[in-house]
Structure formats: C-alpha cells, structure tokens
Amino acid sequence: MTDPDGAEIGPRIYEVPQGDDRERLTCPDCGFIAYENPRIVVGVVARAEDERILLCRRAIPPSIGYWTLPAGYMELGETAEAGAMREAWEEARARLTLTGLLAVYSLARIHQVQLIYRAVLTDANVAAGPESQAVGLFHYSDLPWDELAFPTVEWALTQDHQAHMEGHGQAFANPATDG
Amino acid sequence: MTDPDGAEIGPRIYEVPQGDDRERLTCPDCGFIAYENPRIVVGVVARAEDERILLCRRAIPPSIGYWTLPAGYMELGETAEAGAMREAWEEARARLTLTGLLAVYSLARIHQVQLIYRAVLTDANVAAGPESQAVGLFHYSDLPWDELAFPTVEWALTQDHQAHMEGHGQAFANPATDG
Ligand SMILES: [Zn+2]
Ligand SMILES: [Zn+2]
C-alpha cells in the first residue's frame, strides 16, 4: 500500500512476533501486526425454474467481459449464506433460495477459500448490477465455456451439473437452534 | 493494538475509502486500510478404528481445561484440508485421513467461519501438543458433554454422529485436475 505521494505505508516487513512461530506482516512505523488470513469468497450456482443457470459478465477487472458466477468477498457480520445471497443481489439483482453447499475450493496461491452454494431463483427477473456488464441465463448445454472468467467457475458449473444429475449430499451448517 | 507505552497504534478509526460502500478500519497515522474479513477456522472430528472420537483439553484461553476438537486458524498458503490436518498434528499429534467436509459454521458475531472435516486416525497414538493439557479418545456415549469448550464442538460432535449413523453426503472440493 502506498500513500498519495507513492511512499510505502502500513504493514510491509515480515518479522516473527514474540510468542509466535512464523513471520507476520508488520508496520515498521507503528508496530501494528497485520495477521494475514485467507479471504473467504462466497458465491452461488443459481438455477431458474427452467433449469437455466445464472451468470454475470464482469464489468470490472480481472477478466473483464468474461462470464462468472455471482460471488464476492464475505463481509464481517454476515453468515456465509447471507453473503452468497447478498452477492447474487448486488451483481445480478437475483432473488433466490439457497439449497445447500456445493463446494469448498482452496486457492492457496491467491489466499482464497471459496464457498459455493446451490440455489434456485425465486424470481426470473434478473438484471446487471454495477459490477456486471450483463447477466444471462444459460442451459447447461449452452454455457459459454470458452468465455468463463476463472477456473473455479468451470469447476462449480461442472460439479453443479453432476449434483443436478446424480443428487448431492450436503455439509451441515449452523443448527436451527443457533441464535 | 497498543505499543509498549500503551499508545494506540495501527488501524483504529472507521472511514469509507474512496470507491467503497462501507466503513473500513483505517490507520490515522499512515493511511493504511485494514480490510477486516471473517477468519477461517479449520478443524476435524477424527475417529479411531474403534470409533472413539479424538478431543483435546485446552491448555490456553479461552475455555482453558475444557475439551475441544483439534482446530485453529487456517494459515496462508495451505488448503483448508491441509490446515485441518496441521491442527490435528499440532494439538494432538494425530495422523489422519480426511473423509470429507462435515460442516460449515458461520459465527458472525466473532467473525469466524469454521470448516469442520471428518477424519479417521491412521495411527492410534496421539499425544498432547503445546496447546493441549491432554488428549482423549471417547466413545460417543461417553463424551464429556458438560465440559466442552465451545458450542460448535457440540454441534460438530452431534452432526458427526448423525452422519455416522445415517450416512452423509459431501460437498465437492478442488477437482483432482487442479494444480
Ligand atoms: Zn503503521
Ligand atoms: Zn499506521
């Protein structure tokens, strides 16, 4: 991170803090330790009543112009499920019901864990949000495989199809008694 | 965070950065923005060949002296599965094979998402690591329900039992072709 004059600011050197067993990103100016953790991306494979699958054409880098699933960083104070539904609304104006966790992808090199849920649209009206150029509903046989934004989009679409054809068990989530 | 003299350091005020839509934790001294994200805890419900379940008695706060599953923060550069296995080794000197994702718990109030895997011990020899006072193997009927460290431990033990009795579908993970 740099300030407006281009000077390096904030945590930027690696040191082993007292009592820890690995290097952590530390600010040499003020001593603040930025514990770096994998970030959680939440997303959905959402199908309309006619089984078409919702994709968004990205209006922002990376992979601008390519198709992706509604997905984005989970925010503080929300559940993973709520985050997935929020992203579907923000990127595709989609209202949906989640039907279970499809997959957990670990992308160690880019420090991400992706939680991808399955969903059904409760309203066929979808529309591009500010981060999308367009939204589309595609039958599995018509998916734009050559224009997908990320490998994980292909993984999720393939695994959702497998789950759709063969059935799919689910991981548990918070029990209903929580809260 | 405070420096050794007790002065506040690092990101500590909330401001909406340019182009963002919510307040982020910012350092008033150097301008660094600390994006706060939920942290991922990875853990395991591991069973020995005789179906006994591995628990650790905590040697560190919170809930010191209470029983928990091997679990801890996922680190950068590892998959969720590797993190769960690392924690089982660090806290219980356990060698195991993961058999699938049991549950994803969202603990919005404490900014955690827990990924709990099922596992079988490949070696019955377990031992307390530095963060454990003791380790134990318990039949489900003998679990120390009144001395569990956290509600999520009870959730996971109950759901693992349900999965053990009724069978349990699994979420997908990275495809074998990844990497
Ligand atoms: Zn600083
Ligand atoms: Zn600072």
Side-chain angles (χ1 to χ4, degrees):
Chain A
M1 196 165 202
T2 53
D3 72 12
D5 299 331
E8 292 279 324
I9 59 170
R12 59 189 182 275
I13 62 167
Y14 282 90
E15 287 182 348
V16 180
Q18 217 180 352
D20 203 339
D21 63 355
R22 61 188 77 201
E23 293 187 333
R24 306 291 178 182
L25 190 59
T26 305
C27 180
D29 304 325
C30 69
F32 178 74
I33 301 164
Y35 288 94
E36 299 171 288
N37 298 100
R39 292 175 75 183
I40 303 172
V41 167
V42 285
V44 288
V45 182
R47 286 174 180 259
E49 226 171 44
D50 63 3
E51 303 195 348
R52 284 185 302 163
I53 298 163
L54 174 64
L55 293 179
C56 306
R57 195 152 66 189
R58 291 174 61 82
I60 53 171
S63 298
I64 191 165
Y66 286 78
W67 293 95
T68 191
L69 296 166
Y73 288 112
M74 185 175 166
E75 295 280 357
L76 290 187
E78 67 186 4
T79 62
E81 291 87 347
M85 294 181 72
R86 177 182 52 71
E87 290 292 341
W89 174 256
E90 288 180 4
E91 299 186 357
R93 298 295 179 246
R95 293 184 178 84
L96 42 75
T97 302
L98 299 186
T99 57
L101 182 70
L102 174 67
V104 175
Y105 302 132
S106 294
L107 305 174
R109 279 166 296 186
I110 58 170
H111 304 165
Q112 273 186 17
V113 171
Q114 298 194 358
L115 304 178
I116 309 295
Y117 288 84
R118 304 184 75 201
V120 290
L121 293 175
T122 53
D123 182 339
N125 289 306
V126 292
E131 297 182 2
S132 305
Q133 293 173 345
V135 293
L137 291 165
F138 299 89
H139 283 290
Y140 186 75
S141 54
D142 298 327
L143 283 167
W145 296 104
D146 293 338
E147 296 169 44
L148 298 181
F150 310 111
T152 49
V153 177
E154 183 177 336
W155 300 355
L157 290 169
T158 305
Q159 293 174 340
D160 176 75
H161 182 66
Q162 189 180 330
H164 190 68
M165 302 307 284
E166 300 171 11
H168 176 53
Q170 289 177 24
F172 290 95
N174 295 32
T177 53
D178 172 45
Chain B
M1 196 164 203
T2 52
D3 72 12
D5 300 329
E8 292 280 323
I9 59 169
R12 59 191 183 275
I13 62 167
Y14 281 90
E15 287 182 347
V16 180
Q18 218 180 351
D20 203 338
D21 63 354
R22 61 187 78 201
E23 292 187 334
R24 304 292 179 182
L25 190 59
T26 305
C27 179
D29 303 325
C30 69
F32 178 75
I33 301 164
Y35 287 95
E36 299 170 286
N37 297 100
R39 293 176 75 183
I40 303 172
V41 167
V42 285
V44 288
V45 182
R47 285 173 181 261
E49 226 172 42
D50 63 4
E51 303 195 347
R52 283 184 302 162
I53 298 163
L54 174 64
L55 293 179
C56 306
R57 195 153 63 189
R58 291 174 61 81
I60 54 171
S63 298
I64 192 165
Y66 286 79
W67 293 95
T68 191
L69 296 166
Y73 287 113
M74 183 175 167
E75 295 279 358
L76 291 187
E78 68 186 3
T79 63
E81 290 88 349
M85 294 180 72
R86 177 182 51 71
E87 290 291 341
W89 174 256
E90 289 180 3
E91 300 187 356
R93 297 296 179 243
R95 293 185 178 82
L96 41 77
T97 302
L98 299 186
T99 57
L101 181 69
L102 173 67
V104 175
Y105 303 132
S106 295
L107 305 174
R109 278 166 296 187
I110 59 170
H111 304 166
Q112 273 187 16
V113 171
Q114 298 193 359
L115 303 177
I116 308 296
Y117 289 84
R118 304 184 76 199
V120 290
L121 293 175
T122 53
D123 182 339
N125 289 307
V126 291
E131 297 182 2
S132 305
Q133 293 174 345
V135 293
L137 291 165
F138 299 89
H139 283 291
Y140 186 75
S141 54
D142 298 326
L143 283 166
W145 295 104
D146 293 338
E147 295 169 45
L148 299 181
F150 310 110
T152 49
V153 177
E154 182 177 335
W155 301 354
L157 290 169
T158 304
Q159 292 175 341
D160 177 73
H161 182 66
Q162 189 179 332
H164 191 68
M165 302 307 284
E166 300 171 10
H168 177 54
Q170 288 176 24
F172 290 95
N174 295 31
T177 53
D178 171 46

mmCIF file of all heavy atoms in Angstrom, chain A residues 130-163:
data_model
loop_
_atom_site.group_PDB
_atom_site.id
_atom_site.type_symbol
_atom_site.label_atom_id
_atom_site.label_comp_id
_atom_site.label_asym_id
_atom_site.label_seq_id
_atom_site.Cartn_x
_atom_site.Cartn_y
_atom_site.Cartn_z
ATOM 1 N N PRO A 130 -23.950 -3.088 -10.630
ATOM 2 C CA PRO A 130 -22.863 -2.187 -11.056
ATOM 3 C C PRO A 130 -21.570 -2.894 -11.469
ATOM 4 O O PRO A 130 -20.804 -2.336 -12.258
ATOM 5 C CB PRO A 130 -22.640 -1.289 -9.840
ATOM 6 C CG PRO A 130 -23.430 -1.865 -8.727
ATOM 7 C CD PRO A 130 -24.470 -2.758 -9.302
ATOM 8 N N GLU A 131 -21.328 -4.104 -10.977
ATOM 9 C CA GLU A 131 -20.079 -4.792 -11.331
ATOM 10 C C GLU A 131 -20.251 -5.753 -12.513
ATOM 11 O O GLU A 131 -19.332 -6.492 -12.846
ATOM 12 C CB GLU A 131 -19.543 -5.548 -10.108
ATOM 13 C CG GLU A 131 -19.176 -4.594 -8.967
ATOM 14 C CD GLU A 131 -18.589 -5.279 -7.750
ATOM 15 O OE1 GLU A 131 -18.422 -6.513 -7.775
ATOM 16 O OE2 GLU A 131 -18.297 -4.577 -6.768
ATOM 17 N N SER A 132 -21.438 -5.741 -13.116
ATOM 18 C CA SER A 132 -21.713 -6.642 -14.240
ATOM 19 C C SER A 132 -22.068 -5.839 -15.487
ATOM 20 O O SER A 132 -22.801 -4.851 -15.418
ATOM 21 C CB SER A 132 -22.885 -7.581 -13.905
ATOM 22 O OG SER A 132 -22.645 -8.298 -12.710
ATOM 23 N N GLN A 133 -21.544 -6.286 -16.660
ATOM 24 C CA GLN A 133 -21.951 -5.687 -17.940
ATOM 25 C C GLN A 133 -23.312 -6.219 -18.358
ATOM 26 O O GLN A 133 -24.082 -5.533 -19.031
ATOM 27 C CB GLN A 133 -20.954 -6.051 -19.042
ATOM 28 C CG GLN A 133 -19.579 -5.456 -18.880
ATOM 29 C CD GLN A 133 -18.596 -5.988 -19.917
ATOM 30 O OE1 GLN A 133 -18.866 -6.997 -20.592
ATOM 31 N NE2 GLN A 133 -17.454 -5.315 -20.037
ATOM 32 N N ALA A 134 -23.555 -7.483 -18.006
ATOM 33 C CA ALA A 134 -24.775 -8.149 -18.430
ATOM 34 C C ALA A 134 -24.981 -9.351 -17.526
ATOM 35 O O ALA A 134 -24.045 -9.810 -16.861
ATOM 36 C CB ALA A 134 -24.656 -8.615 -19.885
ATOM 37 N N VAL A 135 -26.196 -9.839 -17.480
ATOM 38 C CA VAL A 135 -26.449 -11.130 -16.837
ATOM 39 C C VAL A 135 -27.109 -12.026 -17.868
ATOM 40 O O VAL A 135 -27.723 -11.544 -18.824
ATOM 41 C CB VAL A 135 -27.341 -10.997 -15.577
ATOM 42 C CG1 VAL A 135 -26.610 -10.255 -14.478
ATOM 43 C CG2 VAL A 135 -28.660 -10.331 -15.912
ATOM 44 N N GLY A 136 -26.959 -13.325 -17.689
ATOM 45 C CA GLY A 136 -27.559 -14.256 -18.641
ATOM 46 C C GLY A 136 -28.001 -15.522 -17.948
ATOM 47 O O GLY A 136 -27.460 -15.891 -16.903
ATOM 48 N N LEU A 137 -29.003 -16.165 -18.534
ATOM 49 C CA LEU A 137 -29.459 -17.473 -18.059
ATOM 50 C C LEU A 137 -29.171 -18.479 -19.166
ATOM 51 O O LEU A 137 -29.592 -18.286 -20.313
ATOM 52 C CB LEU A 137 -30.956 -17.431 -17.736
ATOM 53 C CG LEU A 137 -31.344 -16.593 -16.508
ATOM 54 C CD1 LEU A 137 -32.840 -16.313 -16.480
ATOM 55 C CD2 LEU A 137 -30.909 -17.312 -15.226
ATOM 56 N N PHE A 138 -28.428 -19.516 -18.856
ATOM 57 C CA PHE A 138 -27.926 -20.467 -19.853
ATOM 58 C C PHE A 138 -28.315 -21.897 -19.495
ATOM 59 O O PHE A 138 -28.118 -22.319 -18.352
ATOM 60 C CB PHE A 138 -26.400 -20.433 -19.904
ATOM 61 C CG PHE A 138 -25.807 -19.110 -20.289
ATOM 62 C CD1 PHE A 138 -25.518 -18.156 -19.318
ATOM 63 C CD2 PHE A 138 -25.550 -18.819 -21.621
ATOM 64 C CE1 PHE A 138 -24.969 -16.929 -19.674
ATOM 65 C CE2 PHE A 138 -24.991 -17.594 -21.986
ATOM 66 C CZ PHE A 138 -24.706 -16.642 -20.998
ATOM 67 N N HIS A 139 -28.825 -22.624 -20.462
ATOM 68 C CA HIS A 139 -28.932 -24.065 -20.269
ATOM 69 C C HIS A 139 -27.522 -24.639 -20.199
ATOM 70 O O HIS A 139 -26.586 -24.094 -20.799
ATOM 71 C CB HIS A 139 -29.732 -24.703 -21.406
ATOM 72 C CG HIS A 139 -31.199 -24.472 -21.263
ATOM 73 N ND1 HIS A 139 -31.958 -25.066 -20.277
ATOM 74 C CD2 HIS A 139 -32.054 -23.687 -21.968
ATOM 75 C CE1 HIS A 139 -33.214 -24.671 -20.377
ATOM 76 N NE2 HIS A 139 -33.308 -23.829 -21.398
ATOM 77 N N TYR A 140 -27.369 -25.739 -19.474
ATOM 78 C CA TYR A 140 -26.032 -26.315 -19.290
ATOM 79 C C TYR A 140 -25.345 -26.564 -20.627
ATOM 80 O O TYR A 140 -24.146 -26.318 -20.782
ATOM 81 C CB TYR A 140 -26.129 -27.615 -18.482
ATOM 82 C CG TYR A 140 -24.776 -28.194 -18.137
ATOM 83 C CD1 TYR A 140 -23.994 -27.630 -17.135
ATOM 84 C CD2 TYR A 140 -24.272 -29.296 -18.821
ATOM 85 C CE1 TYR A 140 -22.747 -28.140 -16.817
ATOM 86 C CE2 TYR A 140 -23.018 -29.824 -18.505
ATOM 87 C CZ TYR A 140 -22.271 -29.233 -17.507
ATOM 88 O OH TYR A 140 -21.026 -29.738 -17.202
ATOM 89 N N SER A 141 -26.113 -27.031 -21.613
ATOM 90 C CA SER A 141 -25.533 -27.331 -22.929
ATOM 91 C C SER A 141 -25.117 -26.074 -23.700
ATOM 92 O O SER A 141 -24.393 -26.163 -24.691
ATOM 93 C CB SER A 141 -26.535 -28.138 -23.761
ATOM 94 O OG SER A 141 -27.772 -27.429 -23.819
ATOM 95 N N ASP A 142 -25.574 -24.927 -23.262
ATOM 96 C CA ASP A 142 -25.256 -23.668 -23.960
ATOM 97 C C ASP A 142 -24.323 -22.762 -23.171
ATOM 98 O O ASP A 142 -24.153 -21.590 -23.510
ATOM 99 C CB ASP A 142 -26.559 -22.880 -24.220
ATOM 100 C CG ASP A 142 -27.517 -23.638 -25.114
ATOM 101 O OD1 ASP A 142 -27.046 -24.376 -25.995
ATOM 102 O OD2 ASP A 142 -28.741 -23.493 -24.915
ATOM 103 N N LEU A 143 -23.728 -23.290 -22.125
ATOM 104 C CA LEU A 143 -22.861 -22.429 -21.299
ATOM 105 C C LEU A 143 -21.658 -21.922 -22.100
ATOM 106 O O LEU A 143 -21.110 -22.655 -22.930
ATOM 107 C CB LEU A 143 -22.377 -23.200 -20.064
ATOM 108 C CG LEU A 143 -23.405 -23.369 -18.940
ATOM 109 C CD1 LEU A 143 -22.918 -24.420 -17.940
ATOM 110 C CD2 LEU A 143 -23.669 -22.042 -18.226
ATOM 111 N N PRO A 144 -21.243 -20.684 -21.844
ATOM 112 C CA PRO A 144 -20.099 -20.100 -22.578
ATOM 113 C C PRO A 144 -18.757 -20.564 -22.024
ATOM 114 O O PRO A 144 -17.998 -19.778 -21.448
ATOM 115 C CB PRO A 144 -20.317 -18.594 -22.386
ATOM 116 C CG PRO A 144 -20.987 -18.485 -21.052
ATOM 117 C CD PRO A 144 -21.872 -19.705 -20.931
ATOM 118 N N TRP A 145 -18.464 -21.860 -22.219
ATOM 119 C CA TRP A 145 -17.267 -22.464 -21.609
ATOM 120 C C TRP A 145 -15.979 -21.753 -21.988
ATOM 121 O O TRP A 145 -15.035 -21.711 -21.207
ATOM 122 C CB TRP A 145 -17.168 -23.948 -21.997
ATOM 123 C CG TRP A 145 -18.293 -24.773 -21.471
ATOM 124 C CD1 TRP A 145 -19.367 -25.247 -22.180
ATOM 125 C CD2 TRP A 145 -18.495 -25.219 -20.119
ATOM 126 N NE1 TRP A 145 -20.217 -25.955 -21.349
ATOM 127 C CE2 TRP A 145 -19.705 -25.965 -20.080
ATOM 128 C CE3 TRP A 145 -17.770 -25.066 -18.934
ATOM 129 C CZ2 TRP A 145 -20.203 -26.543 -18.917
ATOM 130 C CZ3 TRP A 145 -18.260 -25.652 -17.776
ATOM 131 C CH2 TRP A 145 -19.459 -26.376 -17.766
ATOM 132 N N ASP A 146 -15.934 -21.202 -23.198
ATOM 133 C CA ASP A 146 -14.697 -20.554 -23.646
ATOM 134 C C ASP A 146 -14.564 -19.124 -23.133
ATOM 135 O O ASP A 146 -13.534 -18.474 -23.367
ATOM 136 C CB ASP A 146 -14.648 -20.528 -25.182
ATOM 137 C CG ASP A 146 -14.522 -21.928 -25.756
ATOM 138 O OD1 ASP A 146 -14.062 -22.832 -25.029
ATOM 139 O OD2 ASP A 146 -14.911 -22.110 -26.925
ATOM 140 N N GLU A 147 -15.600 -18.641 -22.487
ATOM 141 C CA GLU A 147 -15.563 -17.252 -22.011
ATOM 142 C C GLU A 147 -15.820 -17.170 -20.510
ATOM 143 O O GLU A 147 -16.397 -16.196 -20.033
ATOM 144 C CB GLU A 147 -16.605 -16.415 -22.765
ATOM 145 C CG GLU A 147 -16.316 -16.303 -24.254
ATOM 146 C CD GLU A 147 -17.509 -15.701 -25.005
ATOM 147 O OE1 GLU A 147 -18.074 -14.715 -24.506
ATOM 148 O OE2 GLU A 147 -17.852 -16.232 -26.080
ATOM 149 N N LEU A 148 -15.409 -18.204 -19.784
ATOM 150 C CA LEU A 148 -15.558 -18.165 -18.323
ATOM 151 C C LEU A 148 -14.381 -17.406 -17.709
ATOM 152 O O LEU A 148 -13.245 -17.517 -18.166
ATOM 153 C CB LEU A 148 -15.633 -19.580 -17.755
ATOM 154 C CG LEU A 148 -16.822 -20.419 -18.235
ATOM 155 C CD1 LEU A 148 -16.792 -21.806 -17.588
ATOM 156 C CD2 LEU A 148 -18.153 -19.721 -17.988
ATOM 157 N N ALA A 149 -14.670 -16.644 -16.670
ATOM 158 C CA ALA A 149 -13.668 -15.733 -16.102
ATOM 159 C C ALA A 149 -12.575 -16.455 -15.324
ATOM 160 O O ALA A 149 -11.416 -16.012 -15.335
ATOM 161 C CB ALA A 149 -14.363 -14.708 -15.198
ATOM 162 N N PHE A 150 -12.912 -17.540 -14.634
ATOM 163 C CA PHE A 150 -11.967 -18.184 -13.718
ATOM 164 C C PHE A 150 -12.136 -19.702 -13.759
ATOM 165 O O PHE A 150 -13.244 -20.188 -13.994
ATOM 166 C CB PHE A 150 -12.208 -17.697 -12.282
ATOM 167 C CG PHE A 150 -12.279 -16.207 -12.142
ATOM 168 C CD1 PHE A 150 -13.482 -15.585 -11.833
ATOM 169 C CD2 PHE A 150 -11.159 -15.408 -12.343
ATOM 170 C CE1 PHE A 150 -13.572 -14.206 -11.714
ATOM 171 C CE2 PHE A 150 -11.229 -14.030 -12.228
ATOM 172 C CZ PHE A 150 -12.440 -13.427 -11.912
ATOM 173 N N PRO A 151 -11.069 -20.451 -13.483
ATOM 174 C CA PRO A 151 -11.197 -21.920 -13.444
ATOM 175 C C PRO A 151 -12.265 -22.388 -12.456
ATOM 176 O O PRO A 151 -12.974 -23.360 -12.716
ATOM 177 C CB PRO A 151 -9.807 -22.396 -12.987
ATOM 178 C CG PRO A 151 -8.884 -21.298 -13.372
ATOM 179 C CD PRO A 151 -9.670 -20.026 -13.274
ATOM 180 N N THR A 152 -12.397 -21.708 -11.317
ATOM 181 C CA THR A 152 -13.374 -22.158 -10.315
ATOM 182 C C THR A 152 -14.808 -22.063 -10.833
ATOM 183 O O THR A 152 -15.683 -22.794 -10.367
ATOM 184 C CB THR A 152 -13.258 -21.337 -9.007
ATOM 185 O OG1 THR A 152 -13.245 -19.954 -9.340
ATOM 186 C CG2 THR A 152 -12.002 -21.713 -8.259
ATOM 187 N N VAL A 153 -15.054 -21.170 -11.789
ATOM 188 C CA VAL A 153 -16.402 -21.088 -12.377
ATOM 189 C C VAL A 153 -16.680 -22.374 -13.145
ATOM 190 O O VAL A 153 -17.768 -22.957 -13.042
ATOM 191 C CB VAL A 153 -16.532 -19.846 -13.280
ATOM 192 C CG1 VAL A 153 -17.909 -19.805 -13.938
ATOM 193 C CG2 VAL A 153 -16.273 -18.567 -12.491
ATOM 194 N N GLU A 154 -15.687 -22.843 -13.901
ATOM 195 C CA GLU A 154 -15.847 -24.112 -14.615
ATOM 196 C C GLU A 154 -16.006 -25.277 -13.640
ATOM 197 O O GLU A 154 -16.863 -26.147 -13.840
ATOM 198 C CB GLU A 154 -14.638 -24.349 -15.525
ATOM 199 C CG GLU A 154 -14.784 -25.616 -16.356
ATOM 200 C CD GLU A 154 -13.614 -25.827 -17.317
ATOM 201 O OE1 GLU A 154 -12.952 -24.829 -17.678
ATOM 202 O OE2 GLU A 154 -13.373 -26.986 -17.683
ATOM 203 N N TRP A 155 -15.214 -25.291 -12.563
ATOM 204 C CA TRP A 155 -15.353 -26.359 -11.566
ATOM 205 C C TRP A 155 -16.781 -26.384 -11.025
ATOM 206 O O TRP A 155 -17.406 -27.446 -10.935
ATOM 207 C CB TRP A 155 -14.416 -26.150 -10.382
ATOM 208 C CG TRP A 155 -12.957 -26.112 -10.673
ATOM 209 C CD1 TRP A 155 -12.337 -26.340 -11.877
ATOM 210 C CD2 TRP A 155 -11.917 -25.812 -9.734
ATOM 211 N NE1 TRP A 155 -10.985 -26.192 -11.732
ATOM 212 C CE2 TRP A 155 -10.700 -25.871 -10.443
ATOM 213 C CE3 TRP A 155 -11.900 -25.486 -8.386
ATOM 214 C CZ2 TRP A 155 -9.470 -25.625 -9.820
ATOM 215 C CZ3 TRP A 155 -10.691 -25.245 -7.764
ATOM 216 C CH2 TRP A 155 -9.480 -25.319 -8.477
ATOM 217 N N ALA A 156 -17.259 -25.233 -10.624
ATOM 218 C CA ALA A 156 -18.571 -25.164 -9.962
ATOM 219 C C ALA A 156 -19.690 -25.541 -10.927
ATOM 220 O O ALA A 156 -20.630 -26.252 -10.547
ATOM 221 C CB ALA A 156 -18.800 -23.768 -9.391
ATOM 222 N N LEU A 157 -19.593 -25.096 -12.165
ATOM 223 C CA LEU A 157 -20.642 -25.422 -13.133
ATOM 224 C C LEU A 157 -20.651 -26.925 -13.415
ATOM 225 O O LEU A 157 -21.714 -27.546 -13.513
ATOM 226 C CB LEU A 157 -20.432 -24.635 -14.429
ATOM 227 C CG LEU A 157 -20.700 -23.130 -14.316
ATOM 228 C CD1 LEU A 157 -20.206 -22.404 -15.569
ATOM 229 C CD2 LEU A 157 -22.183 -22.852 -14.075
ATOM 230 N N THR A 158 -19.479 -27.511 -13.531
ATOM 231 C CA THR A 158 -19.374 -28.950 -13.785
ATOM 232 C C THR A 158 -19.893 -29.747 -12.587
ATOM 233 O O THR A 158 -20.643 -30.722 -12.744
ATOM 234 C CB THR A 158 -17.902 -29.315 -14.066
ATOM 235 O OG1 THR A 158 -17.432 -28.500 -15.148
ATOM 236 C CG2 THR A 158 -17.753 -30.777 -14.431
ATOM 237 N N GLN A 159 -19.495 -29.337 -11.392
ATOM 238 C CA GLN A 159 -19.906 -30.071 -10.190
ATOM 239 C C GLN A 159 -21.391 -29.854 -9.893
ATOM 240 O O GLN A 159 -22.080 -30.771 -9.421
ATOM 241 C CB GLN A 159 -19.031 -29.667 -9.001
ATOM 242 C CG GLN A 159 -17.586 -30.134 -9.187
ATOM 243 C CD GLN A 159 -16.644 -29.644 -8.103
ATOM 244 O OE1 GLN A 159 -16.932 -28.685 -7.400
ATOM 245 N NE2 GLN A 159 -15.495 -30.301 -7.979
ATOM 246 N N ASP A 160 -21.911 -28.666 -10.188
ATOM 247 C CA ASP A 160 -23.347 -28.441 -10.019
ATOM 248 C C ASP A 160 -24.135 -29.336 -10.957
ATOM 249 O O ASP A 160 -25.173 -29.892 -10.586
ATOM 250 C CB ASP A 160 -23.688 -26.969 -10.288
ATOM 251 C CG ASP A 160 -25.189 -26.729 -10.208
ATOM 252 O OD1 ASP A 160 -25.716 -26.706 -9.083
ATOM 253 O OD2 ASP A 160 -25.841 -26.591 -11.268
ATOM 254 N N HIS A 161 -23.637 -29.495 -12.182
ATOM 255 C CA HIS A 161 -24.301 -30.387 -13.146
ATOM 256 C C HIS A 161 -24.294 -31.819 -12.634
ATOM 257 O O HIS A 161 -25.306 -32.521 -12.685
ATOM 258 C CB HIS A 161 -23.589 -30.300 -14.499
ATOM 259 C CG HIS A 161 -24.226 -31.138 -15.557
ATOM 260 N ND1 HIS A 161 -25.489 -30.895 -16.051
ATOM 261 C CD2 HIS A 161 -23.790 -32.237 -16.218
ATOM 262 C CE1 HIS A 161 -25.789 -31.795 -16.975
ATOM 263 N NE2 HIS A 161 -24.774 -32.620 -17.090
ATOM 264 N N GLN A 162 -23.142 -32.232 -12.109
ATOM 265 C CA GLN A 162 -23.035 -33.583 -11.544
ATOM 266 C C GLN A 162 -24.030 -33.747 -10.389
ATOM 267 O O GLN A 162 -24.745 -34.754 -10.299
ATOM 268 C CB GLN A 162 -21.594 -33.794 -11.059
ATOM 269 C CG GLN A 162 -21.287 -35.222 -10.651
ATOM 270 C CD GLN A 162 -19.837 -35.363 -10.186
ATOM 271 O OE1 GLN A 162 -18.954 -34.625 -10.648
ATOM 272 N NE2 GLN A 162 -19.587 -36.294 -9.297
ATOM 273 N N ALA A 163 -24.096 -32.759 -9.518
ATOM 274 C CA ALA A 163 -25.032 -32.808 -8.387
ATOM 275 C C ALA A 163 -26.471 -32.833 -8.891
ATOM 276 O O ALA A 163 -27.326 -33.528 -8.337
ATOM 277 C CB ALA A 163 -24.811 -31.605 -7.479
#
